[in-house]
């Protein structure tokens, strides 16, 4: 326990306490707690889908059921979004429904976010993580990197991820871990999404990576918008336990999710163009965040009308409450995420 507390203290650095960001988070949480659909503040977390192209066909991913076009975010659009968020949003995730390392300018994007004073997180399946990309990624000074593997044997990996590249992925990850520095990435986790196919391997998976000094994230299976039966059937866990909650979804007050083509949707669990709230090619973040469509969407959640909202009616993700709301008001997302990893895993 003392070892965990020591790690947590080290994570709460000077950057974690930013008065401007603290004021913004406080305004956001006040609006949420008082059920105000119009917010005095800016999003806390920015989800940017740099691409929805991928080199895998994972059975738990809704990409296989996605109907929208595939593409890469244009760097000019990316730069315009980050410039608007500069000094207001301090945490950005450069992934949604694709493999971000496939974007030819991904490391340039990370560096641009870092120059704007943001914490940057990225999740990869590890296949593109060759030595060249590994070194570029390390040099970009990314803050949080998730490497998602989901199995400890080639058979399980292939069954879940539809790939026979398990040996290549392991080699890529091992090479990356050897080359990384203490400063970049600041935090690395290896992830396993819990489901029936890998339930018997969880302990072996955890032991293998923790013995190598890497933190493990055991992530409950996500059923996204809950409308894909093939994904819903994969879980043997009570992973998403807040179905039918009367609480409005806090993500509508805290998160801004943007597809590669600039389309804004209500949250990062929506994989297709459902419930579109804006387009950052022709609108600003402020226009969308405070616009009538977003305000109306929050109002419907406040009125507990989510059962009538196509993209929300089957969602089982619970909202923040109690101490979680307080923590999300006081501490930035990067620090909360790293602390959560230390507390709950390893």
């Amino acid at each position: 326990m003392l070892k965990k507390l020591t790690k947590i203290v080290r994570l709460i650095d000077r950057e974690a306490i930013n008065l401007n960001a603290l004021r913004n988070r406080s305004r956001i949480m006040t609006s949420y707690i008082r059920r105000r659909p119009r917010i005095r503040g800016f999003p806390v977390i920015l989800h940017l889908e740099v691409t929805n192209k991928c080199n895998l066909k994972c059975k738990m991913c809704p990409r296989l059921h996605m109907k929208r076009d595939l593409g890469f975010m244009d760097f000019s659009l990316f730069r315009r979004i980050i410039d608007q968020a500069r000094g207001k949003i301090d945490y950005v995730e450069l992934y949604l429904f694709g493999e971000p390392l496939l974007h030819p300018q991904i490391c340039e994007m990370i560096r641009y976010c870092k120059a704007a004073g943001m914490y940057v997180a990225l999740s990869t399946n590890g296949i593109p993580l060759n030595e060249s990309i590994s070194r570029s990624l390390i040099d970009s000074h990314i803050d949080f990197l998730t490497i998602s593997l989901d199995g400890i044997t080639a058979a399980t990996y292939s069954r879940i991820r539809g790939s026979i590249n398990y040996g290549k992925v392991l080699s890529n990850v091992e090479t990356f871990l050897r080359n990384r520095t203490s400063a970049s990435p600041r935090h690395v986790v290896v992830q396993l999404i819990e489901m029936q196919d890998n339930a018997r391997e969880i302990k072996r998976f955890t032991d293998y990576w923790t013995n190598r000094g890497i933190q493990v994230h055991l992530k409950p299976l996500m059923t996204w918008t809950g409308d894909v039966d093939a994904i819903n059937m994969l879980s043997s866990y009570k992973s998403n336990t807040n179905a039918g909650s009367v609480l409005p979804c806090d993500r509508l007050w805290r998160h801004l999710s943007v597809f590669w083509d600039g389309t804004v949707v209500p949250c990062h669990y929506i994989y297709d163009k459902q419930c579109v709230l804006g387009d950052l090619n022709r609108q600003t973040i402020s226009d969308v965040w405070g616009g009538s469509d977003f305000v109306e969407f929050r109002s419907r959640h406040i009125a507990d009308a989510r059962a009538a909202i196509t993209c929300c009616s089957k969602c089982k993700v619970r909202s923040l409450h109690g101490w979680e709301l307080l923590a999300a008001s006081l501490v930035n997302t990067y620090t909360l995420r790293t602390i959560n990893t230390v507390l709950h895993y390893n």
Side-chain angles (χ1 to χ4, degrees), residues 166-180:
Y166 184 64
K168 176 183 177 182
V169 172
L170 272 187
S171 176
N172 285 350
V173 174
E174 298 282 4
T175 299
F176 175 80
L177 295 175
R178 282 196 305 271
N179 290 335
R180 70 178 288 219

Side-chain angles (χ1 to χ4, degrees), residues 270-283:
I270 296 172
Y271 61 90
D272 241 333
K273 286 193 177 182
Q274 297 173 287
C275 307
V276 172
L277 299 178
D279 181 356
L280 293 186
N281 287 290
R282 55 185 180 80
Q283 296 171 281

Side-chain angles (χ1 to χ4, degrees), residues 30-295:
T30 299
S31 298
Y32 176 71
I33 292 168
R34 294 183 178 178
R35 305 296 188 258
R36 293 172 178 167
R38 194 174 296 279
I39 300 174
R40 289 181 60 250
F42 224 64
V44 176
I45 301 169
L46 179 61
H47 304 270
L48 289 185
E49 180 186 73
V50 296
T51 184
N52 63 343
K53 292 187 177 184
C54 192
N55 47 5
L56 290 179
K57 295 181 179 179
C58 302
K59 65 195 303 182
M60 66 290 192
C61 180
R63 281 192 75 261
L64 301 178
H65 309 273
M66 192 168 60
K67 297 176 182 177
R68 57 191 173 96
D69 292 339
L70 303 180
F72 294 104
M73 181 173 282
D74 186 81
F75 193 80
S76 62
L77 172 61
F78 174 85
R79 186 170 53 234
R80 190 159 63 248
I81 294 170
I82 297 303
D83 288 347
Q84 292 173 34
R86 187 186 297 264
K88 298 171 183 174
I89 299 176
D90 62 5
Y91 181 83
V92 58
E93 294 187 343
L94 298 182
Y95 61 96
L96 278 176
F97 298 100
E99 169 51 56
L101 293 185
L102 295 181
H103 197 296
Q105 294 173 288
I106 184 61
C107 291
E108 187 178 351
M109 289 174 159
I110 295 169
R111 289 192 294 270
Y112 198 83
C113 291
K114 293 301 298 176
M118 298 176 177
Y119 293 99
V120 185
L122 185 144
S123 180
T124 177
N125 59 40
I127 292 178
L129 202 60
N130 57 39
E131 186 148 359
S132 174
I133 292 179
S134 288
R135 292 194 179 279
S136 295
L137 197 58
I138 291 166
D139 291 343
S140 73
H141 294 285
I142 188 171
D143 296 288
F144 200 111
L145 180 69
T146 299
I147 304 171
S148 193
L149 298 178
D150 302 321
I152 196 61
T153 65
T156 299
Y157 177 85
S158 177
R159 195 162 57 246
I160 293 174
R161 298 204 150 236
S163 170
I164 59 173
N165 287 321
Y166 184 64
K168 176 183 177 182
V169 172
L170 272 187
S171 176
N172 285 350
V173 174
E174 298 282 4
T175 299
F176 175 80
L177 295 175
R178 282 196 305 271
N179 290 335
R180 70 178 288 219
T181 68
S182 59
S184 180
R186 295 174 68 180
H187 205 83
V188 177
V189 298
V190 174
Q191 178 174 278
L192 177 144
I193 298 175
E194 299 173 300
M195 63 187 86
Q196 296 169 10
D197 287 288
N198 58 22
R200 295 182 179 180
E201 293 186 9
I202 291 176
K203 187 179 186 307
R204 285 177 61 196
F205 183 92
T206 303
D207 290 346
Y208 180 88
W209 291 107
T210 53
N211 287 340
R212 284 157 175 75
I214 304 301
Q215 290 191 312
V216 172
H217 180 197
L218 301 177
K219 182 180 179 180
L221 177 75
M222 168 54 58
T223 57
W224 311 102
T225 50
D227 58 353
V228 180
D229 290 339
I231 297 177
N232 295 339
M233 294 169 61
L234 292 175
S235 178
S236 58
Y237 298 86
K238 294 179 180 178
S239 55
N240 304 308
T241 57
N242 210 41
S245 170
V246 296
L247 289 173
C249 179
D250 67 275
R251 287 156 187 82
L252 302 178
W253 277 258
R254 302 175 60 242
H255 298 240
L256 186 72
S257 301
V258 187
F259 289 158
W260 69 268
D261 62 355
T263 300
V264 178
V265 290
C267 87
H268 52 293
Y269 298 131
I270 296 172
Y271 61 90
D272 241 333
K273 286 193 177 182
Q274 297 173 287
C275 307
V276 172
L277 299 178
D279 181 356
L280 293 186
N281 287 290
R282 55 185 180 80
Q283 296 171 281
T284 66
I285 292 177
S286 296
D287 289 339
V288 174
W289 190 241
S292 58
D293 289 344
F294 224 135
V295 169

Side-chain angles (χ1 to χ4, degrees), residues 302-313:
I302 292 170
D304 194 26
R306 72 168 72 185
I309 303 174
T310 305
C311 56
C312 301
S313 60

